[in-house]
Amino acid sequence: MSEETIKVGDKAPDFELERQDGGRFRLYELLKEKKKNVVLYFYPKDSTPGCTKQACGFRNQYELFKENGAEVVGISSDSVESHQKFERIHHLPFTLLSDRGSQIRKIYGVPRRLGLLPGRVTYIIDRNATVRYIFNSVSKPLEHVNIALDVLQELQQEEEVVCN
């Protein structure tokens, strides 16, 4: 199994997956249409303690993410039905994607923990589809939220400097 690892500065691979509402999601369409940065986070499993903490952290800060020009997208190998339940119970305002065969996880090179458990990695992707930051930590789900916000605020400042 050849897993390439995406690095900072790489172009984020485009992909298409099913959303929790049954519709299709395509990364490059979101970047092109919305002209926003994307917080793409891979997480192990719906409704587990760490993943719930992380999703609720993104939910609680969602307006700040939007203010900082970003859209949040979560990916796990859970089914669409599992995502629907997870979204409903925790009132998640962002997109959850079902990567049933872990193909996208493999394309991005998200490592497995102990070779078995799906990893937890967050990618900050700018409007030009360039990976600007990667945070990998299974055991610190809330740090993914805080670090993503910090990075997005820095990106916003960079964009303001370029525009002025």
Side-chain angles (χ1 to χ4, degrees), residues 18-76:
E18 193 172 4
R19 296 188 313 250
Q20 77 266 31
D21 64 6
R24 300 302 292 173
F25 171 94
R26 186 153 176 238
L27 178 63
Y28 282 19
E29 277 179 18
L30 175 66
L31 292 169
K32 191 171 114 190
E33 288 172 16
K34 302 254 181 155
K35 301 198 181 338
K36 290 187 171 203
N37 300 308
V38 175
V39 176
L40 183 67
Y41 82 96
F42 290 85
Y43 65 99
K45 188 148 185 52
D46 289 344
S47 303
T48 57
C51 296
T52 298
K53 214 181 269 186
Q54 183 179 25
C56 290
F58 278 120
R59 176 200 64 205
N60 295 345
Q61 301 294 330
Y62 187 66
E63 287 306 313
L64 264 179
F65 280 101
K66 289 180 73 125
E67 285 171 24
N68 282 284
E71 197 54 56
V72 176
V73 179
I75 299 179
S76 80

Side-chain angles (χ1 to χ4, degrees), residues 91-129:
H91 310 287
L92 304 178
F94 51 86
T95 301
L96 297 177
L97 301 174
S98 179
D99 184 19
R100 294 297 291 165
S102 297
Q103 298 96 326
I104 308 310
R105 184 177 289 276
K106 288 174 189 153
I107 290 170
Y108 274 78
V110 176
R112 290 187 161 280
R113 188 169 183 203
L114 307 172
L116 302 170
L117 305 172
R120 183 188 314 277
V121 180
T122 298
Y123 297 84
I124 308 298
I125 301 166
D126 72 15
R127 298 159 207 245
N128 301 314

